[in-house]
Amino acid sequence: MVTYLIRRILIGIPVLLGVTLINFLIINLAPGSPADLYLSPTATPEDVARTETALGLDKPVFVQYLNWLTQLLHGNLGVSFQNREPVTQLIADRIGPTLLLMGTSLVIAYLVAIPIGIFAARRRNTAADYGVVGASFLGISVPHFFLGLAMIYVFALTLGWFPTGGMVTLGRGGGFADRVSHLVLPVVVLATGVAAGMVRYVRSSMIDAFGQDYIRTAKAKGLGASVITNKHALRNALIPVVTVIGIDLSALIGGAIVTEQIFQWPGIGLLTIQSIGARDYAVLMGINLIAAIAVFAANLLTDIAYAVVDPRVAYA
Amino acid sequence: MHKRLEPETGQSSARLMIRRFRRHRLAVVGLVVVVLMVLMAALAPLLAPDDPNRIFDKFESSPSGEHLLGTDSVGRDVLSRLIYGARVSMSVGVGAVVVYVVIGVLLGLLAGYYGGWVDQVLMRITDVFMSFPYFMVILILVSVLGPSLLTIIVVIGALAWPMIGRLVRGSVLSIKGSDYVQAAVALGYRTPRILFRHILPNALSPIVVNATFGVAQAIILESGLSFLGMGVRPPAASWGNMLSEAQSITVLSSQPWIWIPPGLMILLAVLAINFVGDGLRDSMESRSES
């Protein structure tokens, strides 16, 4: 077990280096020199050359990468092209709202999806089951932006139950109820896709579990249906479910970008869109790296959690 | 569930698959919808009532006999743009998936067949690619390279292969030891022949299923990128960029004909393809019930 963990983490090191390299290369594909972005359009070629030297851009790409990596290890992600603020600071300012949005969505999605998945599995091939499966297909197929716009149209503009966007009502201090009401619609949008995927996963996982011998044994022992479902089947069914949490994080980050844009939620997603608009590649490189490290860590933790939860996993 | 006894013996596996697929009613409906959408894309010039880029005097006019779905904020016929938009979605869906299936299959075959350090290196590269949150890295890459239809296809194709790669590798590992592959090796066939003639055909089912879901995924990605202004650039019509008009509150609240139809088209296309994928999965995999 311990050897497995150590191996798994050691394997992660080259992967993490690869992530930084790809991230660096993506931004280097951008046409023109980053120095142009620092300077006014009237700058002379000499000004450009001087800035390039100052930024280390005259060195070979590989040296630039190593320099960038060294800075990275010191926790320095560079400064924004746009307003010269440190990228780490910009990200730190925006990460809170995003974590709040994604965290709430993930928790709610799982709280809703797991019971529904169990419910559908127990009533397999009934009208209720077909309803759940149909709804989950809708949920995985609807794009975030369409669902978001439809939500705003119905619940904010037509019914007026919730605000159209933002995190607090400006000028009203923003009490707890105000914050919650701003959170509802974006959370519903973001949680829908995750929950829909999770329902299908839990359902088929439970159906698999119900077919196992130990369930037959439990039934033969005369145990009640709820004990069989909740103790025997669920515990085993949730093991494969653990593995999709890492995948969900990646999807959640993508969904958050669109959702934050639609609801003007002041998080990392909105920062991404703004930085794309301003061609601020320093900020984009930082965001992309942080997001990739988060997904990488989630995948690693998932693997480890899987090994911990399921003793049958071979540590080969 | 007890299995119905059917005279399935003596039939080719393709026939059997088609039979199972036809029993999956939603998948059949999905397939019909997909075929209709492909026809709509192919025959767009014949079907569209107007040139999708022609600007009429009346902008933001509500649906009428003249413009069945009204006109957008520039004065273009919404229905015509909707029909032409199918071309974008279908070409991104198919184009991107073809690119990444080719990459994934090649890398998966190499990793699975050769094993050892080749496998180690390729799998670590796969891990690297899987660490990037899909939509974000695609968004950034497209913005760096300059958004266009071709860029989207290439970028999705270049980033989405790891899943296929892993699937193919897994299949190869399980097929590699089988007698017929051993026989092919013993007969001295060249490696490409063994890989493409003996191993790949037997690893096809999961690839087809995954690729089908991939088409739906690519359509969602394109529409999301176009919605954010990082996809197909106006004036070209794409369902995603048609919806981006609804980021204005006026359009969103009082001109629903501009944004609801393209939204429903995306939903319908993606849903139909997902149904087809589900039907294929059920009919191709040996454990047909789930």
Side-chain angles (χ1 to χ4, degrees):
Chain A
M1 182 75 193
V2 175
T3 349
Y4 168 79
L5 288 184
I6 293 171
R7 254 187 56 128
R8 188 65 192 76
I9 290 167
L10 285 181
I11 285 176
I13 294 173
V15 175
L16 206 52
L17 273 174
V19 166
T20 62
L21 181 63
I22 298 278
N23 186 41
F24 183 81
L25 292 178
I26 287 175
I27 305 299
N28 265 268
L29 286 173
S33 157
D36 299 340
L37 298 156
Y38 271 93
L39 297 165
S40 68
T42 55
T44 61
E46 291 80 56
D47 289 335
V48 176
R50 210 173 325 118
T51 317
E52 284 190 338
T53 315
L55 294 171
L57 295 169
D58 52 344
K59 303 209 172 66
V61 174
F62 188 69
V63 177
Q64 287 185 43
Y65 168 66
L66 287 182
N67 286 339
W68 174 75
L69 199 62
T70 319
Q71 288 302 308
L72 184 69
L73 290 173
H74 291 88
N76 184 359
L77 284 171
V79 293
S80 154
F81 292 159
Q82 223 180 333
N83 50 22
R84 306 286 157 88
E85 267 193 75
V87 173
T88 34
Q89 186 58 45
L90 282 170
I91 293 178
D93 289 345
R94 301 289 200 100
I95 196 108
T98 295
L99 290 180
L100 175 68
L101 178 63
M102 297 204 317
T104 317
S105 305
L106 202 60
V107 169
I108 290 190
Y110 284 8
L111 284 182
V112 171
I114 293 174
I116 293 184
I118 298 170
F119 168 86
R122 286 185 64 177
R123 285 171 185 67
R124 189 178 170 203
N125 294 335
T126 64
D129 179 31
Y130 293 143
V132 169
V133 171
S136 71
F137 261 109
L138 266 179
I140 55 169
S141 302
V142 66
H144 287 101
F145 53 92
F146 184 50
L147 184 61
L149 293 172
M151 286 287 183
I152 294 178
Y153 181 61
V154 176
F155 295 104
L157 296 174
T158 310
L159 297 171
W161 291 355
F162 300 104
T164 55
M167 230 174 105
V168 289
T169 311
L170 293 174
R172 263 212 278 144
F176 181 72
D178 184 51
R179 283 170 181 271
V180 170
S181 77
H182 280 84
L183 194 56
V184 173
L185 293 185
V187 163
V188 169
V189 169
L190 204 48
T192 298
V194 179
M198 191 48 120
V199 164
R200 290 167 52 76
Y201 217 83
V202 171
R203 178 183 170 274
S204 63
S205 189
M206 281 298 275
I207 287 173
D208 275 353
F210 280 140
Q212 301 294 322
D213 288 342
Y214 55 79
I215 296 296
R216 209 177 46 188
T217 310
K219 277 185 191 158
K221 283 198 307 189
L223 294 179
S226 72
V227 176
I228 292 177
T229 305
N230 297 325
K231 288 197 90 167
H232 297 246
L234 184 60
R235 286 194 181 181
N236 291 289
L238 286 184
I239 293 172
V241 167
V242 169
T243 54
V244 289
I245 296 177
I247 300 168
D248 277 353
L249 182 65
S250 176
L252 212 56
I253 292 174
I257 297 176
V258 177
T259 309
E260 289 186 7
Q261 163 72 7
I262 289 171
F263 291 96
Q264 292 298 299
W265 187 263
I268 297 286
L270 205 55
L271 180 64
T272 308
I273 306 279
Q274 288 161 348
S275 305
I276 281 176
R279 305 182 78 76
D280 196 333
Y281 296 126
V283 176
L284 290 176
M285 189 146 96
I287 295 175
N288 197 32
L289 184 69
I290 302 271
I293 290 175
V295 174
F296 166 82
N299 287 338
L300 183 65
L301 287 176
T302 307
D303 275 6
I304 292 173
Y306 194 59
V308 172
V309 187
D310 189 348
R312 290 169 301 182
V313 170
Y315 307 118
Chain B
M1 286 291 289
H2 56 93
K3 276 219 176 95
R4 246 184 302 168
L5 283 173
E6 281 178 3
E8 287 181 340
T9 41
Q11 286 184 331
S12 74
S13 60
R15 272 248 183 102
L16 181 64
M17 203 207 91
I18 292 169
R19 267 175 82 117
R20 290 210 199 121
F21 185 84
R22 279 176 54 187
R23 235 185 278 149
H24 202 294
R25 241 173 280 151
L26 280 175
V28 176
V29 174
L31 189 61
V32 171
V33 172
V34 172
V35 169
L36 288 177
M37 286 213 173
V38 170
L39 283 177
M40 185 165 102
L43 303 176
L46 301 175
L47 294 171
D50 290 299
D51 178 338
N53 293 329
R54 181 172 159 206
I55 295 167
F56 292 89
D57 300 335
K58 287 184 297 180
F59 54 93
E60 294 175 359
S61 70
S62 53
S64 64
E66 201 180 336
H67 299 288
L68 288 176
L69 288 174
T71 57
D72 65 8
S73 49
V74 186
R76 295 169 300 197
D77 184 61
V78 172
L79 179 61
S80 304
R81 293 183 72 70
L82 203 63
I83 292 171
Y84 272 87
R87 297 192 146 185
V88 170
S89 292
M90 296 303 134
S91 41
V92 171
V94 175
V97 170
V98 167
V99 173
Y100 82 67
V101 166
V102 169
I103 301 176
V105 164
L106 285 177
L107 297 184
L109 283 175
L110 292 178
Y113 190 75
Y114 287 108
W117 67 268
V118 178
D119 184 33
Q120 278 296 319
V121 170
L122 288 176
M123 281 305 104
R124 292 301 79 77
I125 294 175
T126 309
D127 287 347
V128 169
F129 275 81
M130 285 186 115
S131 295
F132 285 102
Y134 217 48
F135 187 74
M136 175 174 278
V137 72
I138 289 173
L139 184 64
I140 293 176
L141 246 181
V142 169
S143 88
V144 164
L145 295 173
S148 77
L149 187 62
L150 187 66
T151 316
I152 297 177
I153 293 176
V154 170
V155 166
I156 298 179
L159 291 171
W161 55 266
M163 266 301 195
I164 294 273
R166 282 194 172 186
L167 270 178
V168 173
R169 170 182 177 268
S171 308
V172 173
L173 284 180
S174 67
I175 293 172
K176 183 162 85 165
S178 64
D179 290 343
Y180 62 86
V181 174
Q182 297 299 323
V185 175
L187 283 168
Y189 289 154
R190 291 176 58 236
T191 310
R193 175 165 177 178
I194 298 174
L195 285 177
F196 291 102
R197 295 282 296 276
H198 297 268
I199 293 183
L200 187 58
N202 291 292
L204 225 46
S205 322
I207 301 175
V208 171
V209 171
N210 196 283
T212 310
F213 288 121
V215 173
Q217 204 56 43
I219 290 177
I220 291 202
L221 282 171
E222 179 278 324
S223 63
L225 291 170
S226 296
F227 174 77
L228 294 173
M230 281 293 136
V232 176
R233 304 307 289 267
S238 125
W239 294 336
N241 71 25
M242 290 173 77
L243 263 155
S244 66
E245 278 197 54
Q247 292 194 63
S248 123
I249 290 279
T250 348
V251 173
L252 184 62
S253 61
S254 42
Q255 285 129 23
W257 64 85
I258 294 181
W259 63 274
I260 291 181
L264 289 180
M265 289 304 283
I266 300 168
L267 178 59
L268 188 64
V270 173
L271 197 58
I273 296 167
N274 279 337
F275 280 145
V276 173
D278 201 50
L280 283 175
R281 179 167 54 197
D282 287 354
S283 52
M284 283 180 150
E285 285 175 10
S286 49
R287 40 171 219 136
S288 59
E289 293 169 90
S290 77

